[in-house]
Amino acid sequence: MTDIDIAVIGGGVTGLASALALAGQGRSVCLLEQHPRLGHETSTRNSGVIHAGIYYPPDSVKAALCVDGRERLYDFAARHDIPHARCGKFIVAATSGEIPALEALAARATANGVPVEMVGRAFLNAKEPHIAGVAALWSPASGRIEPEAYVRALTRLAETAGVAILRASPLIGAREAGDRIEVMTPHESIHAATVVNAAGLYADDVSRMLGGESFTIYPARGEYAELAPGSRHLVHGMVYPVPHMPGHSLGVHLTKTTWGTVLLGPTVRYQDGKDDYENDRLPLDAFVEETRALLPEVTLADLQPGGSGIRAKLCPPDQAFADFLIRRDAVNPRVVQVAGIDSPGLTSSLAIGARVAEIVGGIVTGAPAL
């Protein structure tokens, strides 16, 4: 039986960043990941975008941690040689009727402390000559990163800091054990003073096992197409439409990745399965119309199949917005919930880790919960 300070459930970027921050406080930490590979789910199945903090309500946790996490992530990537670029992005009004929505986004960005600039067609086409639009919002603080390399760096640093990473070790049960929680895997049992639930798509299941509060994770699949190699020159950076489904999707956007491909997507579709990435995939021609709204010369022949990911949402289909859930559990105070980490979760991950370390410090010292 192993006895430790903190058990972190979930080996995505949120769990890894939390484990690293906690180990940096001198605590003994283990991390349980159900898959053999860390970051196997949402952390590496996304566009790799570093968000500036434009879209989220000014008083939200998402807004605060996105802005904080963005700068932490740029600094981290530079220090640890992770492929990334502060390349900026455009949010494009395809018609004059979308300009008021663009202006509203600009106002929200300003309220969040994010630098943006309303620009015309000439500015847009100087950087993206193949993109159509009557106006755009230019976000110089936005960027991109290679998620796989980020996961590897977090893993290496966490292990160096003394975090015991238990791969292929799903949580199968938990129970109170005096002043600790016993967490059980198929291989061993661990006594922890505090458990951090960073289980992503399975955070609601894990919370129930830990005797924590009840909430629901809604899996929402996002699918991608890509520009074929001969058409990748048509996009130089990152180009987004004006979002039509706030809280659910930022729209099918164009992202030139750090490794040179151009992703088209993601779409959004709520589903029951938390591990169904391929069943009933959209045909390629489903991407043509939305892509042509930004990139008019694209044809079906320019597209090829891409990957897919599943967002771990606290926001049901009929609700406009749900914030991150990052706090001490209301039922079991030895549990810290880190749930509903959809976009901008990758961008916010280091700031989330710092927030988790503050909350755990409050639990250990008896200070008020954050």
Side-chain angles (χ1 to χ4, degrees):
M1 182 81 66
T2 304
D3 194 271
I4 60 165
D5 294 328
I6 317 290
V8 178
I9 313 298
V13 292
T14 300
L16 283 165
S18 298
L20 180 59
L22 290 161
Q25 295 181 331
R27 307 185 192 281
S28 57
V29 182
C30 75
L31 182 147
L32 280 60
E33 167 54 44
Q34 66 172 333
H35 297 292
R37 184 169 68 88
L38 300 178
H40 175 72
E41 294 177 353
T42 308
S43 293
T44 55
R45 295 174 179 264
N46 58 71
S47 307
V49 171
I50 301 176
H51 288 285
I54 294 170
Y55 300 97
Y56 321 108
D59 59 349
S60 66
V61 177
K62 283 186 175 181
L65 295 188
C66 182
V67 172
D68 181 12
R70 177 193 77 210
E71 295 308 313
R72 289 175 185 261
L73 188 53
Y74 280 128
D75 179 65
F76 185 94
R79 284 188 290 111
H80 298 289
D81 297 321
I82 300 168
H84 72 289
R86 192 189 291 255
C87 58
K89 83 174 181 185
F90 288 105
I91 305 172
V92 177
T95 67
S96 59
E98 291 185 328
I99 291 178
L102 210 60
E103 291 171 337
L105 278 178
R108 176 167 283 190
T110 299
N112 288 342
V114 179
V116 292
E117 180 183 359
M118 289 287 294
V119 299
R121 189 196 303 269
F123 186 97
L124 170 65
N125 290 152
K127 290 182 176 291
E128 295 285 357
H130 300 279
I131 297 299
V134 298
L137 192 64
W138 169 242
S139 169
S142 300
R144 56 198 176 201
I145 191 169
E146 185 180 320
E148 295 273 6
Y150 179 42
V151 168
R152 289 195 298 270
L154 284 172
T155 303
R156 182 179 68 252
L157 290 168
E159 290 180 326
T160 300
V163 176
I165 296 179
L166 308 180
R167 297 166 173 84
S169 296
L171 181 71
I172 59 172
R175 64 186 179 188
E176 295 295 318
D179 62 350
R180 293 180 172 262
I181 300 177
E182 182 181 355
V183 295
M184 292 163 272
T185 79
H187 318 294
E188 60 193 308
S189 293
I190 298 162
H191 280 184
T194 301
V195 179
V196 175
N197 176 15
L201 288 161
Y202 300 89
D204 50 353
D205 304 319
V206 166
S207 184
R208 284 189 288 273
M209 279 192 274
L210 293 171
E213 58 193 282
S214 177
F215 54 84
T216 299
I217 294 295
Y218 299 92
R221 186 202 286 176
E223 300 179 22
Y224 293 90
E226 297 181 6
L227 288 183
S231 302
R232 291 173 184 168
H233 67 284
L234 298 175
V235 177
H236 296 161
M238 303 191 303
V239 183
Y240 281 55
V242 174
H244 298 294
M245 299 175 66
H248 294 289
S249 170
L250 303 181
V252 171
H253 47 269
L254 317 178
T255 305
K256 189 75 168 269
T257 66
T258 56
W259 55 96
T261 61
V262 177
L263 302 179
L264 316 176
T267 58
V268 60
R269 178 171 59 181
Y270 280 77
Q271 62 182 31
D272 294 329
K274 295 182 176 183
D275 58 358
D276 179 5
Y277 296 92
E278 298 299 329
N279 185 51
D280 194 27
R281 285 286 301 268
L282 291 169
L284 273 181
D285 58 16
F287 290 85
V288 174
E289 183 177 352
E290 288 192 72
T291 303
R292 283 177 57 84
L294 295 171
L295 198 60
E297 61 196 272
V298 158
T299 68
L300 180 60
D302 295 306
L303 307 187
Q304 65 184 29
S308 67
I310 303 175
R311 306 168 178 96
K313 285 184 168 290
L314 286 171
C315 187
D318 59 352
Q319 183 177 313
F321 176 80
D323 212 344
F324 292 155
L325 175 61
I326 307 173
R327 57 177 169 79
R328 190 189 307 186
D329 187 83
V331 177
N332 187 343
R334 295 197 174 279
V335 173
V336 174
Q337 300 287 3
V338 188
I341 312 299
D342 56 352
S343 183
L346 182 73
T347 303
S348 305
S349 53
L350 293 171
I352 291 171
R355 175 73 64 92
V356 169
E358 291 175 4
I359 295 170
V360 171
I363 292 173
V364 171
T365 63
L370 298 180

